[in-house]
Amino acid sequence: RRGTNSRQTRKCKMGKGLDVGEANSVSGLLAVAKAVEGGAYLNGTRFPSRDDLAVFAHLNIEHAEAVLKEKAGVEAARNVVGWYRSIERLLGGKFAGGDYKGVAILPREPLPPAPERVASAQDLDSVVEPGSETAEGGSWPPLPSAERKNVLITSALPYVNNEPHLGNIIGCVLSADVYARFCRARKYNTLFVCGTDEYGTATETKAFQEKMTCEEICNKYHALHSKIYKWFGILFDEFGRTSTHRQTRVAQEIFDQVHSNGKIKEQTMEQLYSEALGRFLADRLVEGTCPKCGYEDARGDQCDQCGSLLSPTELINPKCKLTGTEPKMKKTDHLFLDLTQVESRLQDWINWRGKGEGMWSSNCQRITDTWMKDGLHPRCITRDLKWGTPVPLQGYTNKVFYVWFDAPIGYISITASLFAKRMHGQGHGAPTTIGEGKEDDEVACYGPDAAWRQWWQCGDSEQGTCGSQKPKVDLIQFMGKDNIPFHTIMFPSTLIGTATSPEQNPWTIMKSISVTEYLTYEGDKFSKSRSRGVFGSDAEATGIPADVWRYTLLASRPEANDSDFKWQDLANRCNGELLANLGNFVNRTLSFAHARFGGCFPSLEDMWGASQAEQAKDCDPAENECDDELGEAVQPLVKSYVEAMEKMQMREGLKLVLACSKVGNQFFQEKQPWVLIKDVSTRPACARAIASCIGLVRILACLMQPFMPAISASILRQMKLPKTCYVIDEHLLNGARYPSRLIPLGTAIDKPEVLFETIPEDRIKDMKSKFAGAAAEGSGEKKSEKKKKKKPATGKGGSKGNAKVDISRLELVVGKILEVAKHPNAESLYVEKIDLGGERGVVQVVSGLVNKINLEDHIGSLVLLVANAKASTMRGETSQAMLLCAAEESKFELVIPPTGAKTGDRVFAEGFDGEADEILSSKVLKKVLDLPDGMATNEDCQVVFQGRPIQLGPGSVCSVASLKGARVR
């Protein structure tokens, strides 16, 4: 930007236009000189346009300077030379000499008409928040309407067996809350439901551990979750639970529909049985070695290292989690949802939503496509438990539904609970009790006209082809990446299975899904047992305001990659971005108005003087140079904010909020109102500048409301505006072009308050120390810190005190593939003989690379291995090392050792010193590989760790064939 645009410059036009071929003529040069006077570009804009490029490319600047000095004076010549040099600096002369013949210098587009000025606070539209009985434009709880956009938002139901940490909170609940708040601000019909997932093995296990009943455990942790989310400012329409009669009623209805359509199969299966407990073991009560990656602590339902969904009978060396004993196989009958019968219809829906208008993230599409590519199989939906939704089928009444079938139906039953409570006269936030709903009226609560069905049976079928006249509902779901298959495969398959064709399916099926990656804590996992990391109640105990926590988590929301919470980041964001940028602009603007305009916003007389003729200029957008200048910079940012938020790009939305306040600070500084206020002749200009800034303050209060609701409410209160007038509608978007018109002039305000307080460095150090917790297993430190005498761990747990969780713990050795064979007991595994040279010699390695890399083609090739990985047995074959490869979506490539390397050579990353473990546990290996900035490939296909090349020596770096930005493991 070149200088400050005066009002006269802003009104400048290029007349009827000028062909660039005439740019060097006297008339052409005079036209250019007039256009750029005052520091503007040709069309009166703040940034160069296509016309500036065209004239720049054709202008002979020496000739132009000489002509203008003679015909228009030194000042005009200086302006044109300054304009030319500005373009030259910005573009580096790249476009000089280009072919721009026939391009005309067009006049600046006329300013859009100014919106009607806000006369009073009562003129402002308000948002209907959950709990509002009635309000203009709607009531609560809302029902879908044909006149408005209807958005149904769910957050993944948190397990009721633990306290949520920061990663859990940002992963789904907080993210969903931000989007729900934005949708309400956009005046969409919005319903946001969530609740605790209370049935299943996780609850029974926790009850066993804490010597409580399942009911007691559920009540304890449901109350804890509710309290934490309330403190964080999460504004649900309903936060319920799945242990209600309404859950039983709805889940059994859906099961009956699927069963009547022939999608349920009965099958006898062998299941692990604990003789010590005298019962069958649920999946989560079994632990063992993953058959696909060798991870030793895989659960019976899923491996946390490779993400594979498992059956407990697939685990190698299974153990009962509660007793540590080896379970036995025993036959039992179960029900299965036959996914093969709905597979083609599910694929049609995925193509429509996931790859069409649904805005599914790339990781979500990738995981879903992998499932579909492998082919779907019947999946068990019952379990031999007592705590759960009973199965309504003869011969199975002693069993309950498996949690993956039952829990997603909780979204529907919690919505039913909301409307049932309203019928019973209960207000927003009324607690839900276990078993609640037995006294519900069957017709009113579950009949065809039940209110919840208007949201969940909107007639928008699998392909939108059912022709229903019901209002359309967009179902948007938020979750962590580990929940993807349950929401893109299992739950939609269940709903699809209730009907014989897409046209007959009444259920609302997901349109968009927002998935987060993992959030780590200071480079490691959160751990309640080790007191490591900040959990929900800890955040409140720190005394740091909830909105600062919300901002910090959302600013580093793991949208595409894992991210890491660091205390220093929290301090930097609070002290820099919030206090020095956002808070500074709001406070300096309101404080200046309060101090210099009699405790009020500037009035019309302050802005234009007492003359009615002058005040009439307020209706002409070209006359208010402050609104024009600030609005031109702010409005595009506001529109971009709306676009980003509609796409659930919350980090981008937050950046744009800060960009608006940064523009405001720059504008305030350039206008220097503290100088203008001193002179009677410039006082109106000061008032106009401050009025524009106050308008931007109101814009910021609206834009930041989804992220920091308490701060937004504080700003609106200080402005004497209703706390719910944060609507982001067309009036605000259009008004952003003329900010001063968004506020009621002359409003009396109190002395403004500071929005944010500095977080001192010593406080950050204390917090970091307090929540550091005990060392991770295998880190080389003792878990207990009670003993005064500390000794470094050696042997299997670590290496002579190396407590770092980084690449120095790994012994990376070059090996040569000698033999490759298919695993005799597993179709997805290879068994390789690899020569590591030296004392290690030839070792056997088991790799899950069948159908990913044809290892037979690499016999004789050099590869890279983690040579000190703890040996594991995979389907009867021992794996003595880990073969490294890069992976991106479905493509895999082996890591190639540096040129000149030979078997037995060790590679390293410079700067990561320390002796490798003698035997590296699978837990430590996983932590190193899972670091957010761990082993990966860069843009040059080199393998790096935290940006440092993994090398044999300077310039001799490990690489891959073609993958860029891929994780290595």
Side-chain angles (χ1 to χ4, degrees), residues 906-968:
R906 289 189 59 181
V907 297
F908 63 95
E910 189 174 357
F912 294 93
D913 302 322
E915 187 175 345
D917 290 28
E918 180 181 343
I919 300 176
L920 184 68
S921 74
S922 59
K923 287 186 177 180
V924 176
L925 175 58
K926 182 178 186 298
K927 287 175 182 175
V928 175
L929 296 178
D930 284 350
L931 288 172
D933 51 354
M935 273 202 290
T937 60
N938 62 18
E939 289 301 308
D940 297 322
C941 297
Q942 295 177 330
V943 180
V944 298
F945 180 83
Q946 296 184 358
R948 306 283 184 89
I950 297 176
Q951 58 185 1
L952 187 61
S956 186
V957 182
C958 295
S959 61
V960 296
S962 64
L963 290 179
K964 301 177 181 180
R967 295 302 298 265
V968 173

Side-chain angles (χ1 to χ4, degrees), residues 23-68:
N24 287 301
S25 68
V26 174
S27 60
L29 291 173
L30 290 175
V32 171
K34 182 168 180 57
V36 301
E37 66 182 0
Y41 288 100
L42 285 180
N43 293 328
T45 57
R46 293 159 57 88
F47 302 98
S49 67
R50 179 167 168 262
D51 295 337
D52 290 278
L53 297 181
V55 176
F56 169 81
H58 284 76
L59 203 64
N60 182 322
I61 191 59
E62 290 79 12
H63 166 74
E65 184 177 15
V67 170
L68 288 171

Side-chain angles (χ1 to χ4, degrees), residues 786-802:
K786 295 180 180 180
K787 296 181 180 180
K788 293 182 179 179
K789 186 176 180 180
K790 299 181 181 178
K791 296 181 180 180
T794 59
K796 292 195 294 183
S799 62
K800 300 180 181 180
N802 183 1

Side-chain angles (χ1 to χ4, degrees), residues 34 53 58 82 87 144 160 176 253 378 477 733 780 790 810 819 827 853 883 903 946:
K34 182 168 180 57
L53 297 181
H58 284 76
I87 301 292
V160 78
E253 174 186 321
Q477 302 196 283
L733 293 178
K790 299 181 181 178
L810 278 58
E819 299 176 14
E827 294 181 356
I853 298 176
L883 181 63
T903 56
Q946 296 184 358

